Amino acid sequence: MENFSDFYCMRCGAQSVLLENHKALRCSACGFTYFHNVATAVGAIIVCGDEVLLLERGKEPGKGQLGLPGGFVDPFESAEQALIREISEETGIRVTQPLNYVGAWANQYPYGGVLYHTQDVYFEVALASKPSLTLQVAEVRAAHWVAREQIDLNQLAFCSARDALQHWLAG
Ligand SMILES: [Zn+2]
């Protein structure tokens, strides 16, 4: 996955791009270096009573597997702003409650032949009642409220979501 040998340099066009130290894409022809830095992503453990909202993923990676609402942080956004935006886009829920920090875990996100390393920051959102959901069709196939003792961590697409839920369930 981390083979960039068939990539062309975005500055000089030579097919001589190498990945150094998992993060620097360096062209051996012209010396141009692009840093493939760790991207920040966010995820939400949305809780209502005894149940957690899990989403069935509608696209790769992890299509058909379960995930938590969330996504990549956009430029100029805080993690909290990104999470509120992603929750709204994916589920239609408009979060006004405080976000409770759960923790952050490293993750890998393969997309379009490129492996992205991410730092996934998780927050808990406690809802007093279950809102009606408007799912983002392209990204989310279905949504399930799952009782905490029924959560099967093996059904989750990403290891960071498993880590976050495991940490949250133990807490
Ligand atoms: Zn070059």
Side-chain angles (χ1 to χ4, degrees):
M1 184 59 70
E2 291 196 297
N3 182 4
F4 290 90
S5 60
D6 60 340
F7 280 41
Y8 295 88
C9 173
M10 67 177 83
R11 179 203 260 167
C12 78
Q15 197 173 358
S16 53
V17 176
L18 295 170
L19 184 69
E20 294 176 344
N21 303 320
H22 302 285
K23 62 179 186 184
L25 283 166
R26 194 178 127 76
C27 174
S28 59
C30 75
F32 177 71
T33 302
Y34 178 80
F35 286 96
H36 188 52
N37 286 321
V38 174
T40 308
V42 287
I45 300 175
I46 299 179
V47 189
C48 185
D50 177 34
E51 295 176 325
V52 175
L53 184 64
L54 298 179
L55 304 182
E56 223 175 289
R57 294 180 56 79
K59 64 168 197 176
E60 298 293 353
K63 187 174 180 178
Q65 291 180 280
L66 297 178
L68 296 169
F72 285 98
V73 176
D74 280 341
F76 310 110
E77 270 185 334
S78 71
E80 290 87 345
Q81 288 168 336
L83 189 56
I84 289 168
R85 174 182 54 74
E86 287 284 352
I87 291 170
S88 170
E89 288 172 2
E90 292 185 347
T91 70
I93 299 171
R94 303 188 74 83
V95 172
T96 54
Q97 295 83 349
L99 304 176
N100 303 315
Y101 181 71
V102 174
W105 287 268
N107 193 24
Q108 295 182 333
Y109 190 88
Y111 188 79
V114 174
L115 182 63
Y116 295 87
H117 292 273
T118 67
Q119 182 67 216
D120 296 353
V121 186
Y122 286 89
F123 295 88
E124 177 206 58
V125 182
L127 302 180
S129 60
K130 284 182 192 170
S132 62
L133 303 176
T134 307
L135 302 180
Q136 188 177 28
V137 178
E139 308 244 342
V140 183
R141 185 186 283 172
H144 308 284
W145 288 99
V146 181
R148 53 187 296 156
E149 63 272 16
Q150 302 276 310
I151 294 172
D152 179 0
L153 295 175
N154 294 316
Q155 291 187 354
L156 287 146
F158 298 123
C159 64
S160 70
R162 280 197 291 273
D163 292 339
L165 275 170
Q166 196 162 34
H167 179 82
W168 179 81
L169 287 165

